[in-house]
Coordinates of all heavy atoms in Angstrom, one line a residue:
M1 N 20.8 -10.6 -7.0 CA 19.5 -10.7 -6.3 C 19.2 -9.3 -5.6 O 20.1 -8.7 -5.1 CB 19.6 -11.8 -5.3 CG 18.3 -12.0 -4.6 SD 18.4 -13.6 -3.7 CE 17.0 -13.4 -2.6
M2 N 18.0 -8.9 -5.7 CA 17.6 -7.6 -5.1 C 17.6 -7.7 -3.6 O 17.2 -8.7 -3.0 CB 16.2 -7.2 -5.6 CG 15.8 -5.8 -5.3 SD 14.2 -5.4 -5.8 CE 14.3 -5.6 -7.6
S3 N 18.1 -6.6 -2.9 CA 18.2 -6.6 -1.5 C 16.7 -6.5 -0.9 O 15.8 -5.9 -1.5 CB 19.1 -5.5 -1.0 OG 18.5 -4.3 -1.3
F4 N 16.6 -6.9 0.4 CA 15.3 -6.8 1.0 C 14.8 -5.3 1.1 O 13.6 -5.1 0.8 CB 15.4 -7.4 2.4 CG 14.1 -7.4 3.2 CD1 13.2 -8.4 2.8 CD2 13.9 -6.5 4.2 CE1 11.9 -8.4 3.5 CE2 12.6 -6.6 4.9 CZ 11.7 -7.5 4.5
P5 N 15.6 -4.3 1.5 CA 15.1 -3.0 1.5 C 14.6 -2.5 0.1 O 13.6 -1.8 0.1 CB 16.3 -2.1 2.0 CG 17.2 -3.1 2.7 CD 17.0 -4.4 2.0
L6 N 15.3 -2.8 -0.9 CA 14.8 -2.4 -2.3 C 13.5 -3.1 -2.6 O 12.7 -2.5 -3.3 CB 15.9 -2.7 -3.3 CG 17.1 -1.7 -3.3 CD1 18.1 -2.1 -4.4 CD2 16.6 -0.3 -3.6
M7 N 13.4 -4.4 -2.2 CA 12.1 -5.0 -2.5 C 11.0 -4.4 -1.8 O 9.9 -4.2 -2.3 CB 12.2 -6.5 -2.1 CG 12.9 -7.4 -3.1 SD 12.8 -9.1 -2.8 CE 13.6 -9.3 -1.2
L8 N 11.2 -3.9 -0.5 CA 10.2 -3.2 0.3 C 9.8 -1.9 -0.5 O 8.6 -1.6 -0.6 CB 10.7 -2.9 1.7 CG 10.5 -3.9 2.8 CD1 11.0 -3.3 4.1 CD2 9.1 -4.3 2.9
A9 N 10.8 -1.2 -0.9 CA 10.6 0.1 -1.6 C 9.8 -0.1 -2.9 O 8.9 0.6 -3.2 CB 11.9 0.8 -1.8
L10 N 10.2 -1.1 -3.6 CA 9.5 -1.4 -4.9 C 8.1 -1.8 -4.7 O 7.2 -1.4 -5.4 CB 10.3 -2.5 -5.7 CG 9.7 -2.9 -7.0 CD1 9.8 -1.7 -8.0 CD2 10.5 -4.1 -7.6
F11 N 7.8 -2.6 -3.6 CA 6.5 -3.0 -3.3 C 5.7 -1.8 -2.9 O 4.5 -1.7 -3.2 CB 6.5 -4.1 -2.2 CG 5.1 -4.6 -1.8 CD1 4.4 -5.3 -2.7 CD2 4.6 -4.3 -0.6 CE1 3.1 -5.8 -2.4 CE2 3.3 -4.8 -0.3 CZ 2.6 -5.5 -1.2
G12 N 6.3 -0.9 -2.2 CA 5.6 0.4 -1.8 C 5.2 1.2 -3.0 O 4.1 1.8 -3.1
V13 N 6.1 1.2 -4.0 CA 5.8 2.0 -5.3 C 4.6 1.3 -6.0 O 3.7 2.0 -6.4 CB 7.0 2.0 -6.2 CG1 6.7 2.5 -7.6 CG2 8.1 2.9 -5.6
V14 N 4.6 0.0 -6.2 CA 3.5 -0.7 -6.8 C 2.2 -0.5 -6.1 O 1.2 -0.3 -6.7 CB 3.9 -2.2 -7.0 CG1 2.7 -3.0 -7.5 CG2 5.1 -2.4 -7.9
L15 N 2.3 -0.6 -4.8 CA 1.1 -0.5 -4.0 C 0.6 1.0 -4.1 O -0.7 1.2 -4.2 CB 1.4 -0.8 -2.5 CG 0.3 -1.3 -1.6 CD1 -0.3 -2.6 -2.2 CD2 0.9 -1.6 -0.2
G16 N 1.4 1.9 -4.1 CA 1.0 3.3 -4.3 C 0.4 3.6 -5.6 O -0.6 4.3 -5.7
I17 N 0.9 3.0 -6.7 CA 0.3 3.1 -8.0 C -1.1 2.5 -8.0 O -2.0 3.1 -8.6 CB 1.2 2.4 -9.1 CG1 2.5 3.3 -9.3 CG2 0.5 2.3 -10.4 CD1 3.5 2.6 -10.1
L18 N -1.3 1.4 -7.3 CA -2.6 0.8 -7.3 C -3.6 1.6 -6.3 O -4.8 1.6 -6.6 CB -2.5 -0.7 -6.8 CG -1.9 -1.7 -7.7 CD1 -1.6 -3.0 -7.0 CD2 -2.7 -1.8 -9.0
A19 N -3.0 2.2 -5.3 CA -3.9 2.9 -4.3 C -4.3 4.3 -4.8 O -5.4 4.7 -4.4 CB -3.1 3.0 -3.0
L20 N -3.5 4.9 -5.6 CA -3.8 6.3 -6.0 C -5.2 6.5 -6.6 O -6.0 7.4 -6.2 CB -2.7 6.9 -6.8 CG -2.7 8.4 -7.0 CD1 -2.7 9.1 -5.7 CD2 -1.6 8.8 -7.9
P21 N -5.5 5.7 -7.6 CA -6.9 5.9 -8.2 C -8.0 5.6 -7.3 O -9.1 6.3 -7.4 CB -6.9 4.9 -9.4 CG -5.5 4.5 -9.6 CD -4.8 4.7 -8.4
L22 N -7.8 4.7 -6.3 CA -8.8 4.5 -5.3 C -9.0 5.7 -4.4 O -10.1 6.1 -4.1 CB -8.5 3.2 -4.5 CG -8.5 1.9 -5.3 CD1 -8.0 0.8 -4.4 CD2 -9.9 1.6 -5.8
A23 N -7.9 6.2 -3.9 CA -7.9 7.3 -3.0 C -8.5 8.6 -3.7 O -9.2 9.4 -3.0 CB -6.5 7.6 -2.5
L24 N -8.3 8.7 -5.0 CA -8.9 9.8 -5.7 C -10.3 9.6 -6.1 O -11.0 10.6 -6.6 CB -8.0 10.1 -7.0 CG -6.6 10.6 -6.8 CD1 -5.9 10.7 -8.1 CD2 -6.6 11.9 -6.0
G25 N -10.8 8.4 -5.9 CA -12.2 8.2 -6.3 C -12.5 8.1 -7.7 O -13.6 8.5 -8.2
S26 N -11.6 7.6 -8.5 CA -11.7 7.6 -10.0 C -12.0 6.2 -10.5 O -12.1 6.0 -11.7 CB -10.5 8.2 -10.6 OG -9.4 7.4 -10.3
I27 N -12.2 5.2 -9.7 CA -12.5 3.9 -10.1 C -14.0 3.6 -10.0 O -14.6 3.6 -8.9 CB -11.7 2.8 -9.3 CG1 -10.3 3.1 -9.4 CG2 -12.1 1.4 -9.7 CD1 -9.7 3.0 -10.8
P28 N -14.7 3.4 -11.1 CA -16.2 3.1 -11.0 C -16.4 1.7 -10.4 O -15.5 0.9 -10.3 CB -16.6 3.1 -12.5 CG -15.4 2.9 -13.3 CD -14.2 3.4 -12.5
M29 N -17.6 1.5 -10.0 CA -18.0 0.2 -9.4 C -17.7 -1.0 -10.3 O -18.1 -0.9 -11.5 CB -19.5 0.2 -9.0 CG -19.9 -1.0 -8.2 SD -21.6 -1.0 -7.8 CE -21.9 0.5 -6.8
N30 N -17.0 -2.0 -9.8 CA -16.7 -3.2 -10.6 C -16.4 -4.3 -9.6 O -16.3 -4.1 -8.4 CB -15.4 -2.9 -11.5 CG -14.2 -2.7 -10.7 OD1 -13.6 -3.6 -10.3 ND2 -13.8 -1.4 -10.5
R31 N -16.2 -5.5 -10.1 CA -16.0 -6.6 -9.2 C -14.5 -7.1 -9.2 O -14.2 -8.1 -8.7 CB -16.9 -7.8 -9.7 CG -18.3 -7.5 -9.5 CD -19.1 -8.7 -9.3 NE -20.5 -8.4 -9.1 CZ -21.1 -8.2 -7.9 NH1 -20.3 -8.3 -6.8 NH2 -22.3 -7.9 -7.8
F32 N -13.6 -6.3 -9.8 CA -12.2 -6.8 -9.9 C -11.2 -5.9 -9.2 O -10.2 -6.4 -8.7 CB -11.8 -6.8 -11.4 CG -12.7 -7.7 -12.2 CD1 -13.6 -7.2 -13.1 CD2 -12.6 -9.1 -12.1 CE1 -14.4 -8.0 -13.9 CE2 -13.4 -9.9 -12.8 CZ -14.3 -9.3 -13.7
Y33 N -11.5 -4.6 -9.0 CA -10.5 -3.7 -8.5 C -11.2 -2.7 -7.5 O -12.1 -2.0 -7.9 CB -9.8 -2.9 -9.7 CG -8.8 -1.9 -9.3 CD1 -7.8 -2.1 -8.4 CD2 -8.9 -0.6 -9.9 CE1 -6.9 -1.2 -8.0 CE2 -7.9 0.3 -9.6 CZ -6.9 0.0 -8.7 OH -6.0 1.0 -8.3
G34 N -10.7 -2.7 -6.3 CA -11.2 -1.9 -5.3 C -11.6 -2.6 -4.0 O -11.3 -3.8 -3.9
V35 N -12.1 -1.9 -3.1 CA -12.5 -2.6 -1.8 C -13.9 -3.2 -2.1 O -14.9 -2.5 -2.3 CB -12.6 -1.5 -0.7 CG1 -13.0 -2.2 0.6 CG2 -11.3 -0.8 -0.5
R36 N -14.0 -4.5 -2.1 CA -15.2 -5.2 -2.5 C -15.9 -5.7 -1.3 O -16.0 -6.9 -1.1 CB -14.8 -6.3 -3.5 CG -14.2 -5.7 -4.8 CD -13.9 -6.8 -5.7 NE -13.2 -8.0 -5.2 CZ -11.9 -8.2 -5.3 NH1 -11.2 -7.3 -5.9 NH2 -11.4 -9.2 -4.7
L37 N -16.5 -4.9 -0.5 CA -17.3 -5.2 0.6 C -18.8 -5.2 0.2 O -19.1 -4.5 -0.7 CB -17.2 -4.2 1.8 CG -15.8 -4.1 2.4 CD1 -15.7 -3.0 3.4 CD2 -15.4 -5.4 3.1
P38 N -19.6 -6.0 0.8 CA -21.0 -6.0 0.4 C -21.7 -4.6 0.5 O -22.5 -4.2 -0.4 CB -21.7 -7.0 1.4 CG -20.6 -7.9 1.8 CD -19.4 -7.1 1.8
A39 N -21.3 -3.9 1.5 CA -21.8 -2.5 1.7 C -21.4 -1.6 0.5 O -22.1 -0.6 0.2 CB -21.3 -1.9 3.0
A40 N -20.2 -1.9 -0.1 CA -19.8 -1.0 -1.2 C -20.6 -1.2 -2.4 O -20.8 -0.2 -3.2 CB -18.3 -1.3 -1.5
F41 N -21.2 -2.3 -2.6 CA -22.0 -2.6 -3.8 C -23.5 -2.1 -3.6 O -24.3 -2.3 -4.6 CB -22.0 -4.1 -4.2 CG -20.6 -4.5 -4.7 CD1 -19.8 -5.2 -3.9 CD2 -20.2 -4.1 -6.0 CE1 -18.5 -5.6 -4.4 CE2 -19.0 -4.5 -6.5 CZ -18.2 -5.2 -5.7
R42 N -23.9 -1.6 -2.5 CA -25.2 -1.1 -2.3 C -25.6 0.1 -3.1 O -26.7 0.3 -3.5 CB -25.5 -0.9 -0.8 CG -25.5 -2.3 -0.1 CD -26.1 -2.2 1.3 NE -25.9 -3.4 1.9 CZ -25.3 -3.6 3.1 NH1 -24.8 -2.6 3.7 NH2 -25.1 -4.8 3.6
S43 N -24.6 1.0 -3.3 CA -24.9 2.2 -4.0 C -23.5 2.8 -4.6 O -22.5 2.5 -4.0 CB -25.6 3.3 -3.2 OG -24.7 3.8 -2.2
Q44 N -23.6 3.7 -5.6 CA -22.4 4.3 -6.1 C -21.8 5.2 -5.0 O -20.6 5.2 -4.9 CB -22.8 5.2 -7.3 CG -23.3 4.5 -8.5 CD -22.1 3.8 -9.3 OE1 -21.0 4.3 -9.2 NE2 -22.4 2.8 -10.0
E45 N -22.6 5.8 -4.2 CA -22.1 6.7 -3.2 C -21.3 5.9 -2.2 O -20.2 6.3 -1.8 CB -23.3 7.4 -2.5 CG -22.8 8.4 -1.4 CD -24.1 9.1 -0.8 OE1 -24.7 9.9 -1.5 OE2 -24.3 8.8 0.4
N46 N -21.8 4.7 -1.8 CA -21.0 3.9 -0.9 C -19.7 3.4 -1.5 O -18.7 3.3 -0.8 CB -21.9 2.6 -0.5 CG -22.9 2.9 0.6 OD1 -23.0 4.0 1.1 ND2 -23.6 1.9 1.0
W47 N -19.8 3.0 -2.8 CA -18.6 2.5 -3.5 C -17.5 3.5 -3.4 O -16.4 3.2 -3.0 CB -19.0 2.2 -4.9 CG -17.8 1.8 -5.7 CD1 -17.1 2.7 -6.5 CD2 -17.1 0.6 -5.8 NE1 -16.0 2.0 -7.1 CE2 -16.0 0.7 -6.7 CE3 -17.3 -0.7 -5.2 CZ2 -15.1 -0.3 -7.0 CZ3 -16.5 -1.7 -5.5 CH2 -15.4 -1.5 -6.4
Y48 N -17.8 4.8 -3.8 CA -16.8 5.8 -3.8 C -16.3 6.1 -2.4 O -15.1 6.3 -2.2 CB -17.2 7.0 -4.6 CG -17.3 6.8 -6.1 CD1 -18.5 6.7 -6.7 CD2 -16.2 6.6 -6.8 CE1 -18.6 6.5 -8.1 CE2 -16.2 6.3 -8.2 CZ -17.4 6.3 -8.8 OH -17.5 6.1 -10.2
A49 N -17.2 6.2 -1.5 CA -16.7 6.6 -0.1 C -15.8 5.5 0.5 O -14.8 5.8 1.1 CB -18.0 6.8 0.8
I50 N -16.2 4.2 0.4 CA -15.5 3.1 0.9 C -14.1 3.0 0.2 O -13.1 2.8 0.8 CB -16.3 1.8 0.8 CG1 -17.4 1.9 1.9 CG2 -15.4 0.6 1.1 CD1 -18.5 0.8 1.7
N51 N -14.1 3.1 -1.1 CA -12.9 3.0 -1.8 C -11.9 4.2 -1.6 O -10.7 4.0 -1.6 CB -13.1 2.8 -3.3 CG -13.4 1.3 -3.6 OD1 -12.5 0.5 -3.7 ND2 -14.7 1.0 -3.7
R52 N -12.5 5.4 -1.4 CA -11.6 6.5 -1.1 C -11.0 6.3 0.3 O -9.8 6.5 0.5 CB -12.4 7.8 -1.1 CG -12.4 8.5 -2.5 CD -12.9 9.9 -2.4 NE -14.3 10.0 -1.9 CZ -15.4 10.0 -2.7 NH1 -15.2 9.9 -4.0 NH2 -16.6 10.0 -2.2
Y53 N -11.7 5.8 1.2 CA -11.2 5.5 2.6 C -10.1 4.4 2.5 O -9.0 4.6 3.0 CB -12.3 5.1 3.5 CG -11.9 4.9 4.9 CD1 -11.7 5.9 5.8 CD2 -11.7 3.6 5.4 CE1 -11.3 5.7 7.1 CE2 -11.3 3.3 6.7 CZ -11.1 4.4 7.5 OH -10.7 4.1 8.8
G54 N -10.5 3.3 1.9 CA -9.5 2.2 1.8 C -8.3 2.6 0.9 O -7.1 2.2 1.3
G55 N -8.5 3.4 -0.1 CA -7.4 3.8 -1.0 C -6.4 4.7 -0.2 O -5.2 4.7 -0.4
T56 N -7.0 5.6 0.6 CA -6.2 6.5 1.4 C -5.3 5.7 2.4 O -4.1 6.0 2.5 CB -7.1 7.5 2.2 OG1 -7.9 8.2 1.2 CG2 -6.2 8.5 3.0
W57 N -5.8 4.7 3.0 CA -5.0 3.9 4.0 C -4.0 3.1 3.2 O -2.9 2.9 3.7 CB -5.9 3.1 4.8 CG -6.5 3.9 6.0 CD1 -7.8 4.3 6.1 CD2 -5.8 4.3 7.1 NE1 -7.9 5.0 7.2 CE2 -6.7 5.0 7.9 CE3 -4.5 4.1 7.6 CZ2 -6.4 5.6 9.1 CZ3 -4.2 4.7 8.8 CH2 -5.1 5.4 9.6
L58 N -4.4 2.6 2.1 CA -3.4 1.8 1.3 C -2.3 2.7 0.8 O -1.1 2.3 0.8 CB -4.2 1.2 0.1 CG -3.5 0.1 -0.7 CD1 -3.1 -1.1 0.2 CD2 -4.3 -0.3 -1.9
L59 N -2.6 3.9 0.4 CA -1.6 4.9 0.0 C -0.7 5.2 1.1 O 0.6 5.3 1.0 CB -2.3 6.2 -0.6 CG -1.4 7.1 -1.3 CD1 -0.7 6.4 -2.5 CD2 -2.2 8.3 -1.9
L60 N -1.2 5.4 2.3 CA -0.4 5.7 3.5 C 0.6 4.5 3.8 O 1.8 4.6 4.0 CB -1.2 5.9 4.7 CG -0.5 6.1 6.0 CD1 0.4 7.4 6.0 CD2 -1.5 6.1 7.2
S61 N 0.0 3.3 3.7 CA 0.9 2.1 3.9 C 2.0 2.0 2.8 O 3.1 1.6 3.1 CB 0.0 0.8 3.8 OG -1.0 0.8 4.8
A62 N 1.6 2.3 1.6 CA 2.6 2.3 0.5 C 3.7 3.3 0.7 O 4.9 3.0 0.5 CB 1.9 2.6 -0.9
T63 N 3.4 4.5 1.2 CA 4.3 5.5 1.5 C 5.3 5.0 2.6 O 6.5 5.2 2.6 CB 3.6 6.8 1.9 OG1 2.8 7.2 0.9 CG2 4.6 7.9 2.2
L64 N 4.7 4.4 3.7 CA 5.5 3.9 4.8 C 6.5 2.8 4.3 O 7.7 2.8 4.7 CB 4.7 3.4 5.9 CG 3.9 4.5 6.7 CD1 3.0 3.8 7.7 CD2 4.8 5.5 7.3
L65 N 6.0 1.9 3.4 CA 6.9 0.9 2.9 C 8.0 1.5 2.1 O 9.2 1.1 2.2 CB 6.1 -0.1 2.0 CG 5.3 -1.2 2.8 CD1 4.4 -1.9 1.8 CD2 6.2 -2.1 3.5
L66 N 7.7 2.5 1.3 CA 8.7 3.1 0.4 C 9.7 3.8 1.3 O 10.9 3.7 1.1 CB 8.0 4.1 -0.5 CG 8.9 4.9 -1.4 CD1 9.7 4.0 -2.4 CD2 8.1 5.9 -2.2
L67 N 9.3 4.5 2.3 CA 10.2 5.2 3.2 C 11.1 4.2 4.0 O 12.3 4.4 4.1 CB 9.5 6.1 4.2 CG 8.8 7.3 3.5 CD1 8.0 8.1 4.6 CD2 9.9 8.3 3.0
W68 N 10.5 3.2 4.5 CA 11.2 2.2 5.3 C 12.2 1.5 4.4 O 13.4 1.2 4.8 CB 10.3 1.2 6.0 CG 11.0 0.3 6.9 CD1 11.1 -1.1 6.7 CD2 11.7 0.6 8.1 NE1 11.8 -1.6 7.8 CE2 12.2 -0.6 8.6 CE3 12.0 1.8 8.7 CZ2 13.0 -0.6 9.7 CZ3 12.7 1.8 9.9 CH2 13.2 0.6 10.4
G69 N 11.8 1.2 3.2 CA 12.8 0.5 2.2 C 13.9 1.5 1.9 O 15.1 1.0 1.8
G70 N 13.6 2.8 1.7 CA 14.7 3.7 1.5 C 15.6 3.9 2.7 O 16.9 4.0 2.5
V71 N 15.1 3.9 3.9 CA 15.9 4.0 5.1 C 16.8 2.8 5.2 O 18.0 2.9 5.4 CB 15.0 4.1 6.3 CG1 15.8 3.8 7.6 CG2 14.4 5.5 6.4
G72 N 16.3 1.6 4.9 CA 17.1 0.4 5.0 C 18.2 0.4 4.0 O 19.3 -0.2 4.2
Y73 N 17.9 0.9 2.8 CA 18.9 0.8 1.7 C 20.0 1.9 1.9 O 21.2 1.6 1.8 CB 18.2 0.9 0.4 CG 19.2 0.7 -0.8 CD1 19.7 -0.5 -1.1 CD2 19.6 1.8 -1.5 CE1 20.6 -0.7 -2.1 CE2 20.5 1.6 -2.6 CZ 21.0 0.3 -2.8 OH 21.8 0.2 -3.9
W74 N 19.6 3.1 2.1 CA 20.5 4.2 2.0 C 21.1 4.5 3.4 O 22.3 4.8 3.5 CB 19.9 5.5 1.5 CG 19.8 5.3 0.0 CD1 20.8 5.4 -0.9 CD2 18.6 5.1 -0.8 NE1 20.3 5.2 -2.2 CE2 18.9 5.0 -2.1 CE3 17.2 4.9 -0.4 CZ2 18.0 4.8 -3.1 CZ3 16.3 4.7 -1.4 CH2 16.7 4.6 -2.7
W75 N 20.4 4.4 4.4 CA 20.9 4.8 5.8 C 21.5 3.6 6.5 O 22.6 3.7 7.0 CB 19.8 5.4 6.6 CG 20.2 6.0 7.9 CD1 21.2 6.9 8.1 CD2 19.7 5.6 9.2 NE1 21.3 7.2 9.4 CE2 20.4 6.4 10.1 CE3 18.7 4.8 9.6 CZ2 20.1 6.4 11.5 CZ3 18.4 4.7 10.9 CH2 19.1 5.5 11.9
L76 N 20.9 2.5 6.4 CA 21.4 1.3 7.1 C 22.3 0.4 6.2 O 22.9 -0.5 6.7 CB 20.3 0.4 7.7 CG 19.4 1.1 8.7 CD1 18.2 0.2 9.1 CD2 20.2 1.5 9.9
G77 N 22.3 0.7 5.0 CA 23.2 0.0 4.0 C 22.8 -1.5 3.8 O 23.5 -2.3 3.4
G78 N 21.5 -1.8 4.0 CA 21.0 -3.1 3.8 C 21.6 -4.1 4.7 O 22.0 -5.2 4.3
C79 N 21.8 -3.8 5.9 CA 22.5 -4.7 6.9 C 21.8 -6.0 7.1 O 20.6 -6.1 6.8 CB 22.7 -4.0 8.2 SG 21.2 -3.3 8.9
H80 N 22.5 -7.0 7.6 CA 21.9 -8.4 7.7 C 20.8 -8.5 8.7 O 20.0 -9.4 8.5 CB 23.0 -9.3 8.0 CG 23.6 -9.2 9.4 ND1 24.5 -8.1 9.7 CD2 23.3 -9.8 10.6 CE1 24.7 -8.2 11.0 NE2 24.1 -9.2 11.6
W81 N 20.6 -7.6 9.6 CA 19.5 -7.7 10.6 C 18.3 -6.9 10.2 O 17.3 -6.9 10.9 CB 20.0 -7.3 12.0 CG 20.7 -6.0 12.1 CD1 22.1 -5.9 12.0 CD2 20.2 -4.7 12.2 NE1 22.4 -4.6 12.1 CE2 21.3 -3.8 12.2 CE3 18.9 -4.2 12.2 CZ2 21.1 -2.4 12.2 CZ3 18.8 -2.8 12.3 CH2 19.8 -2.0 12.3
Y82 N 18.4 -6.2 9.0 CA 17.3 -5.4 8.6 C 15.9 -6.1 8.4 O 14.9 -5.7 8.8 CB 17.7 -4.6 7.3 CG 16.6 -3.7 6.8 CD1 16.5 -2.4 7.4 CD2 15.8 -4.0 5.8 CE1 15.5 -1.6 7.0 CE2 14.8 -3.1 5.4 CZ 14.7 -1.9 6.0 OH 13.7 -1.1 5.6
P83 N 15.9 -7.3 7.8 CA 14.6 -8.0 7.6 C 14.0 -8.4 8.9 O 12.7 -8.2 9.1 CB 15.0 -9.3 6.9 CG 16.2 -9.0 6.1 CD 17.0 -8.0 7.0
S84 N 14.7 -8.7 9.9 CA 14.2 -9.0 11.3 C 13.6 -7.8 11.9 O 12.5 -7.8 12.5 CB 15.2 -9.6 12.2 OG 15.7 -10.8 11.6
L85 N 14.3 -6.7 11.8 CA 13.9 -5.4 12.3 C 12.6 -5.0 11.6 O 11.7 -4.5 12.3 CB 15.0 -4.4 12.2 CG 14.6 -3.0 12.7 CD1 14.4 -3.0 14.2 CD2 15.7 -2.0 12.3
S86 N 12.5 -5.2 10.3 CA 11.3 -4.8 9.6 C 10.1 -5.6 10.1 O 9.0 -5.0 10.2 CB 11.5 -5.1 8.1 OG 12.6 -4.2 7.6
L87 N 10.3 -6.9 10.3 CA 9.2 -7.7 10.8 C 8.7 -7.2 12.2 O 7.5 -7.2 12.4 CB 9.5 -9.2 10.9 CG 9.7 -9.9 9.5 CD1 10.2 -11.3 9.7 CD2 8.3 -9.9 8.8
V88 N 9.6 -6.8 13.0 CA 9.2 -6.3 14.3 C 8.5 -5.0 14.2 O 7.4 -4.8 14.9 CB 10.5 -6.2 15.2 CG1 10.2 -5.4 16.5 CG2 11.1 -7.6 15.5
I89 N 9.0 -4.1 13.4 CA 8.4 -2.8 13.3 C 7.1 -2.8 12.5 O 6.1 -2.2 12.9 CB 9.4 -1.8 12.8 CG1 10.5 -1.5 13.8 CG2 8.8 -0.4 12.4 CD1 11.7 -0.7 13.3
L90 N 7.1 -3.4 11.3 CA 6.0 -3.3 10.4 C 5.0 -4.4 10.7 O 3.8 -4.3 10.3 CB 6.4 -3.4 9.0 CG 7.3 -2.3 8.5 CD1 7.8 -2.6 7.1 CD2 6.6 -1.0 8.6
G91 N 5.4 -5.5 11.4 CA 4.5 -6.6 11.6 C 3.7 -6.4 12.8 O 2.6 -6.7 13.0

């Protein structure tokens, strides 16, 4: 079974892969992928601006998850209190 810190790091990688195209503004307007607020669908300009903003924050969150998972795995050795500490810090 995969340890909690490795799951956090893996989730950070997947989230980063999903966030990068949004942050770069390379996803055209659609109803399946992106920040789907009513204001985003009013114009192409709104779509790209809102999705770049949301993608940037999502990429930052993914980076923090990846770093925190790495810290937990390599520095703390995946100790038994790590999930509780993660909830306190990230939650």
Side-chain angles (χ1 to χ4, degrees):
M1 185 167 166
M2 190 182 298
S3 68
F4 185 75
L6 282 180
M7 284 191 292
L8 274 182
L10 182 62
F11 184 64
V13 169
V14 171
L15 208 58
I17 290 170
L18 291 173
L20 192 59
L22 294 173
L24 294 174
S26 61
I27 302 298
M29 191 183 296
N30 67 81
R31 296 209 177 265
F32 302 107
Y33 177 48
V35 181
R36 297 181 314 258
L37 297 172
F41 289 106
R42 290 193 187 122
S43 70
Q44 291 285 335
E45 185 178 291
N46 280 1
W47 173 264
Y48 287 111
I50 289 170
N51 278 281
R52 273 193 295 271
Y53 182 79
T56 301
W57 280 103
L58 192 60
L59 193 56
L60 176 65
S61 299
T63 303
L64 291 175
L65 280 172
L66 179 61
L67 290 174
W68 186 245
V71 164
Y73 184 74
W74 285 286
W75 187 53
L76 299 175
C79 55
H80 67 282
W81 47 266
Y82 183 78
S84 300
L85 179 66
S86 296
L87 287 174
V88 169
I89 292 176
L90 298 175

